[in-house]
C-alpha cells in the first residue's frame, strides 16, 4: 500500500527520542520530510543525523512549554521545505505519583507543558494546514483507563483527548484531521525509567508483560508505523478517534 507520504512535510515535537523519533523514522522511510524538535540541542542534532541529514530532516531546539514554539515549527517547515502537511505532538511524560501525592507545582508545570503546550501546538498547526492535513497527539491509555501511580497523566490525558475531538470537529469541514494515539507500554527511555523506578526493573517488566495480551512490551517502530499511517493520506477518512497501540492491554472494547 502506498501511504502517499512522498515529499509531504510534517513537524514533530518531542522527537529527539522515544515515540516522536520512532514516528519520524517511519515518515522519512516512506519519503516524507520532517522538522523534528526537542529541548536539548545535542539530542536534536544526533537525531537529525540518525534520520539521514538535512535533505529530508531539519532539527529545531524548542521546548513545548514556550508559547513561540508552534509558530517556529510552522515557519521552519515552510522556509525549509515549502509546505506543511501535519504534525505529531509528543512531549516528555509527567512526573510519577498518585493524584494525591504530586504537588501543586508539579500539576502546574505539567499543565503548562503536557496540556497547554500540546493544545497550543495542535491549534496553531491545525490553522496552518490545508485540506489533507493531519495532526496526531501522543497521549496514553490513561485516556480510557487510569494508570496506577500516574495521577497527572490520569488527570490531563483524557482532557487532551477531548481537545483533540473538539479540534477534529472544528477543522474537519476543511479536510483537516486530528487523532489521538494511546500508547500502552512501548520500550522507550520513558518506559525504562518507569520500570527502574519500581526498584526491580526485571520484575516490573515481567508483571507488565503478564497484563498485555500480546505478552510483551511494544517496540517503538510498532508505534511509529501506526502514527505514520494515521498522519498519511492513506488514513484520509479517520479523524476524531483515539487509537490504542497497546498490545491489547486496554480492557474496554
Ligand atoms: N513509551 C510509552 O510506553 C508511553 C506510554 C504511554 C504514554 N507515553 C507518553 O508518550 C509521550 C512520549 O513518550 P516517550 O516514551 O517517547 O518518552 P521519552 O522516551 O522520554 O522521549 C521524550 C521526548 O520528548 C522530548 N521532550 C521532553 N520534554 C519536552 C518538552 N518540554 N518540549 C519538547 N520536547 C520535550 C525529549 O527530548 P529532550 O529531552 O531533548 O527535550 C524526547 O525526545 C510521553 O508524554 C509519555 O508519557 C509513553
Amino acid at each position: 500500500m502506498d501511504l502517499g507520504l512522498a515529499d509531504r512535510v510534517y513537524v514533530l515535537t518531542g522527537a529527539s527520542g522515544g515515540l516522536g523519533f520512532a514516528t519520524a523514522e517511519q515518515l522519512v522511510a516512506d519519503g516524507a520530510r520532517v522538522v523534528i524538535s526537542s529541548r536539548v540541542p545535542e539530542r536534536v542534532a544526533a537525531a537529525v543525523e540518525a534520520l539521514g541529514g538535512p535533505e529530508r530532516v531539519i532539527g529545531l531546539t524548542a521546548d513545548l512549554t514556550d508559547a513561540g514554539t508552534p509558530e517556529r515549527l510552522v515557519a521552519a517547515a515552510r522556509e525549509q521545505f515549502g509546505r506543511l502537511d501535519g504534525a505529531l505532538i509528543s512531549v516528555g511524560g509527567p512526573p510519577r505519583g498518585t493524584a494525591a501525592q504530586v504537588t501543586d507545582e508539579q500539576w502546574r508545570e505539567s499543565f503548562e507543558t503536557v496540556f497547554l503546550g500540546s493544545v497550543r501546538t495542535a491549534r496553531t498547526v491545525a490553522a496552518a494546514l490545508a485540506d489533507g492535513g493531519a495532526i496526531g497527539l501522543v497521549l496514553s491509555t490513561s485516556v480510557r483507563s487510569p494508570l496506577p501511580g500516574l495521577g497527572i497523566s490520569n488527570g490531563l490525558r483524557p482532557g487532551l483527548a477531548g481537545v483533540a475531538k473538539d479540534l477534529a470537529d472544528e477543522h474537519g469541514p476543511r479536510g483537516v484531521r486530528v487523532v489521538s494515539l494511546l500508547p500502552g507500554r512501548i520500550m522507550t527511555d520513558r518506559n525504562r525509567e518507569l520500570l527502574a523506578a519500581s526498584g526491580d526493573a526485571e520484575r516490573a517488566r515481567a508483571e507488565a508483560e503478564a497484563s498485555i495480551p500480546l505478552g510483551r512490551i511494544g517496540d517503538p517502530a510498532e508505534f511509529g508505523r501506526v502514527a505514520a499511517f494515521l498522519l498519511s493520506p492513506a488514513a484520509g477518512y479517520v479523524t476524531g478517534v483515539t487509537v490504542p497501540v497497546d498490545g491489547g492491554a486496554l480492557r474496554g472494547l
Side-chain angles (χ1 to χ4, degrees):
M1 176 171 62
D2 178 7
L3 297 183
L5 283 167
D7 290 330
R8 292 176 83 89
V9 176
Y10 295 87
V11 297
L12 297 96
T13 69
S16 65
L19 304 179
F21 179 80
T23 304
E25 270 188 313
Q26 300 300 327
L27 289 169
V28 170
D30 257 57
R33 293 164 295 174
V34 295
V35 178
I36 62 162
S37 63
S38 81
R39 297 165 303 178
V40 182
E42 297 76 25
R43 296 196 67 192
V44 175
V48 169
E49 181 77 22
L51 289 166
E55 206 172 295
R56 307 208 73 81
V57 186
I58 62 161
L60 220 63
T61 304
D63 191 323
L64 204 67
T65 315
D66 295 341
T69 288
E71 293 290 0
R72 285 181 60 215
L73 289 167
V74 170
R78 288 181 171 152
E79 274 161 30
Q80 184 72 21
F81 298 125
R83 59 186 286 174
L84 178 62
D85 298 286
L88 184 87
I89 302 170
S90 185
V91 64
R96 284 175 290 110
T98 65
Q101 285 166 346
V102 293
T103 64
D104 283 9
E105 200 42 39
Q106 288 175 313
W107 276 109
R108 260 189 219 106
E109 273 176 21
S110 301
F111 179 81
E112 285 289 331
T113 305
V114 174
F115 198 96
L116 189 53
S118 301
V119 170
R120 213 188 270 125
T121 305
R123 78 172 177 230
T124 303
V125 172
L129 291 175
D131 190 1
I135 295 172
L137 282 87
V138 181
L139 303 181
S140 164
T141 52
S142 64
V143 163
R144 296 205 195 158
S145 180
L147 295 166
L150 287 173
I152 297 183
S153 180
N154 297 335
L156 299 186
R157 305 291 198 190
L160 280 168
V163 170
K165 184 74 174 165
D166 188 298
L167 288 168
D169 287 348
E170 183 160 352
H171 293 279
R174 300 195 300 110
V176 172
R177 303 181 295 107
V178 184
V179 299
S180 297
L181 288 125
L182 314 185
R185 290 266 192 176
I186 314 284
M187 194 48 88
T188 62
D189 288 348
R190 164 77 174 171
N191 228 297
R192 283 183 203 99
E193 274 165 34
L194 291 175
L195 292 173
S198 71
D200 184 345
E202 277 313 306
R203 188 170 157 198
R205 180 176 183 146
E207 280 172 9
E209 289 181 335
S211 69
I212 301 170
L214 287 181
R216 61 183 176 84
I217 290 180
D219 185 88
E222 295 179 299
F223 176 90
R225 284 193 287 271
V226 176
F229 164 71
L230 289 170
L231 291 173
S232 79
Y237 202 54
V238 180
T239 193
V241 292
T242 54
V243 180
V245 185
D246 69 344
L250 273 171
R251 296 295 75 216
L253 298 176

